[in-house]
Amino acid sequence: MDGANFLSRLSLRVSSPTLFTLVLFCMVPPSIAAAQTWGSPVWSDEFNGVSNSAIDPTKWQYDTGILNVNNEVEYYCAPGSGTAPCVAETPNAYIDGNGHLIIQAIRINSSGTPYSGSWTSARLNTANNLQSFQYGRLESNISLPIGPGLWPAFWALGNNINTVGWPTSGEIDFMENVPASGNLGPTAIRSTLHGGNSPGNCYCGGNGLGQSYTFPSNDPNGPDVTTFHSYGAIWSANMVQFYVDDPTNIFLVRTTSDLPSGFTWDFNHPFFLLLNLAVGGTGSWPGPPDSTTPSPAIMTVDYVRWYQASPINGPTMSGPAISAKEGSPGSSPISLSSVSGTGRVYLSCTTTAPKATCSINSEDSLNQYTVDFSKSANGTATVTVTTTANTARLLTPSPGSDKRGFFASMIAGCGFVFASFVLVPANWMRSLRRSLGGAGLMLALLMHPGCGGGSESSSGGGGGGTNNGTLPGSYAVTVNAYTVSNTSGSPDSTVSVALTVN
């Protein structure tokens, strides 16, 4: 039933304006219109316990041995392991009794050039069904050691790494720190997304989607990594936002639209967490340790927490129709409104126009594909549609084309053929018929311009004609919005904008 007609009939039957208003109120479906909240962690480890008590085995396990990655020189030891070079009495990971997890790297051989296994350290993870994470806010509060060769990290790998390998599994680096030789040093950290088809064909390593963060000199938590800072990310379908110390202090936003051409977004599936303190080797990113590298080098973890976002609605969106000429772009400003404090939304677009593409450009300084509602209830973005010009079509009338001109050209062309038969000497025509035969002559006539032939035209490609571009017509552009609470991968809200290609 048409809603307007239904309400019109209802208003005729309800004599009390108050009662009518109440009925309308009850008919409006409830909506979630509130600022983004995170609540208490749904999973965490606060590392409470007496000194040297066991690290919670229901939350963490250990990678052990020499992993043969990145030319690193450490040998990873599990707590309590006495397998050489590990020393059970000097664990590389333990609870300190003050609410902290300690991960320490210890030099075991200082002679000559560092080699694989010349240090011991620890690497913890939540894999093998201990705990999987998909979306939400992940954060750890950590104090880091500094020195040549040291490489502490808080990061995550896709649960599917054993089946698809790295980097197809995806890797989320919430925080990495290396010395100044790796272009960071004590006053900066780096956050990065790694993915791709193979180690040689990827957005990974030096080509990862990452950025460094430098602590301000007046940072209340301290101007470098040696004091406790919180490192984390707000992770939702198709978007990851990295921050330091406060979830509103976002410095890097990456979305599926930021991927290089030919790659897929490898972050819409479960991941597991890792905490480790690596020691670099010759040729690795941080470079090798030297005599000034502290031993033990101590990484102190205050907590690891996982929050889930409260559900929020997508923004309301509107925009005027788009008009574009064939082979040229056309655009429309999109107005968005939401509740201030709901955070960023990621925008994508699609169009029904054949051989056309659309793109988003917003006013967000951190990412052109997002609009930030952290401090405002309104935002704007521009959707642009780029059509493709036709460069080859058969000469046939398209719907709406000028058929008079088309048939005029047909008549003129065929008239030229007829004149040829009349004016060309008979002995020439007999020679032509002997050379081509009847079928060949007919083919020559059909191919004559204007009489069944195949010349090019700038008109539409109807009537069975061939086109290789965007035909004039009426189409639609759909803009999709995804909020920070999105876990389904389906848009939280959409708007359809009319598109006319001339």
Side-chain angles (χ1 to χ4, degrees):
M1 178 182 291
D2 180 84
N5 291 337
F6 174 77
L7 292 178
S8 176
R9 295 172 188 172
L10 180 63
S11 64
L12 293 175
R13 298 173 184 174
V14 178
S15 59
S16 170
T18 302
L19 178 60
F20 179 55
T21 302
L22 179 61
V23 171
L24 284 178
F25 176 81
C26 293
M27 290 177 59
V28 177
S31 62
I32 304 169
Q36 181 64 62
T37 59
W38 294 99
S40 300
V42 295
W43 181 95
S44 70
D45 198 339
E46 306 296 321
F47 303 110
N48 294 321
V50 300
S51 179
N52 294 316
S53 59
I55 299 168
D56 192 339
T58 68
K59 296 178 178 178
W60 303 98
Q61 63 177 7
Y62 308 91
D63 291 312
T64 59
I66 296 173
L67 303 185
N68 294 313
V69 292
N70 305 317
N71 295 320
E72 296 167 15
V73 301
E74 79 285 329
Y75 185 105
Y76 284 124
C77 299
S81 173
T83 302
C86 304
V87 178
E89 295 75 24
T90 309
N92 294 94
Y94 62 91
I95 300 297
D96 71 352
N98 296 310
H100 303 132
L101 166 69
I102 302 297
I103 301 176
Q104 59 179 350
I106 302 171
R107 182 187 290 111
I108 59 175
N109 189 306
S110 59
S111 62
T113 302
Y115 61 94
S116 184
S118 61
W119 286 67
T120 59
S121 189
R123 176 162 136 163
L124 291 71
N125 68 67
T126 69
N128 295 335
N129 299 318
L130 288 181
Q131 182 63 53
S132 293
F133 304 85
Q134 185 173 359
Y135 309 137
R137 198 180 107 214
L138 287 156
E139 177 181 294
S140 184
N141 190 252
I142 315 174
S143 169
L144 305 179
I146 57 174
L150 297 181
W151 189 355
F154 168 47
W155 51 305
L157 287 170
N159 281 7
N160 57 351
I161 190 169
N162 290 332
T163 56
V164 303
W166 184 92
T168 307
S169 62
E171 176 181 329
I172 305 172
D173 294 335
F174 305 103
M175 178 280 301
E176 291 182 286
N177 178 254
V178 296
S181 59
N183 298 317
L184 291 180
T187 61
I189 60 95
R190 188 169 181 84
S191 301
T192 311
L193 296 179
H194 301 275
N197 305 327
S198 68
N201 183 27
C202 64
Y203 50 101
C204 64
N207 296 319
L209 302 179
Q211 185 173 306
S212 299
Y213 174 86
T214 300
F215 296 96
S217 59
N218 62 346
D219 192 306
N221 295 315
D224 61 41
V225 299
T226 62
T227 56
F228 281 102
H229 291 276
S230 297
Y231 307 102
I234 299 171
W235 172 25
S236 53
N238 304 314
M239 177 171 58
V240 181
Q241 306 174 67
F242 294 96
Y243 65 87
V244 172
D245 286 330
D246 189 297
T248 65
N249 185 32
I250 295 169
F251 70 95
L252 172 63
V253 179
R254 288 291 178 261
T255 73
T256 185
S257 296
D258 294 303
L259 295 181
S261 177
F263 292 106
T264 59
W265 181 255
D266 294 323
F267 310 98
N268 284 351
H269 60 264
F271 278 60
F272 62 90
L273 296 182
L274 300 98
L275 285 164
N276 73 294
L277 176 52
V279 183
T282 302
S284 67
W285 179 31
D290 61 24
S291 59
T292 68
T293 305
S295 176
I298 296 176
M299 173 180 176
T300 306
V301 184
D302 185 27
Y303 62 76
V304 179
R305 296 171 182 168
W306 178 34
Y307 302 83
Q308 289 183 339
S310 61
I312 56 175
N313 281 347
T316 58
M317 300 182 288
S318 62
I322 301 173
S323 178
K325 290 187 176 181
E326 177 189 316
S328 300
S331 62
S332 173
I334 303 298
S335 298
L336 302 94
S337 63
S338 184
V339 176
S340 180
T342 53
R344 273 181 176 78
V345 296
Y346 160 64
L347 301 179
S348 67
C349 61
T350 59
T351 179
T352 60
K355 297 182 174 65
T357 59
C358 65
S359 61
I360 298 290
N361 198 325
S362 72
E363 297 178 344
D364 193 336
S365 61
L366 292 183
N367 194 290
Q368 74 176 74
Y369 308 107
T370 62
V371 173
D372 189 10
F373 294 106
S374 297
K375 298 179 180 179
S376 174
N378 300 294
T380 60
T382 299
V383 58
T384 299
V385 177
T386 302
T387 62
T388 302
N390 286 277
T391 58
R393 296 184 190 157
L394 295 179
L395 182 59
T396 52
S398 63
S401 64
D402 188 350
K403 293 181 176 60
R404 292 174 299 177
F406 173 82
F407 287 111
S409 65
M410 289 285 291
I411 293 171
C414 291
F416 177 82
V417 174
F418 177 78
S420 299
F421 275 99
V422 174
L423 299 177
V424 173
N427 59 332
W428 288 15
M429 290 302 298
R430 286 194 297 270
S431 298
L432 180 62
R433 284 195 297 269
R434 284 195 298 269
S435 300
L436 297 177
L441 180 59
M442 180 62 68
L443 179 62
L445 293 176
L446 288 174
M447 293 178 64
H448 194 284
C451 195
S455 64
E456 293 185 356
S457 169
S458 61
S459 64
T466 301
N467 75 82
N468 62 353
T470 308
L471 291 175
S474 298
Y475 305 100
V477 177
T478 299
V479 179
N480 303 307
Y482 303 80
T483 70
V484 296
S485 63
N486 189 295
T487 60
S488 68
S490 299
D492 293 295
S493 59
T494 64
V495 65
S496 182
V497 178
L499 167 66
T500 301
V501 179
N502 301 307

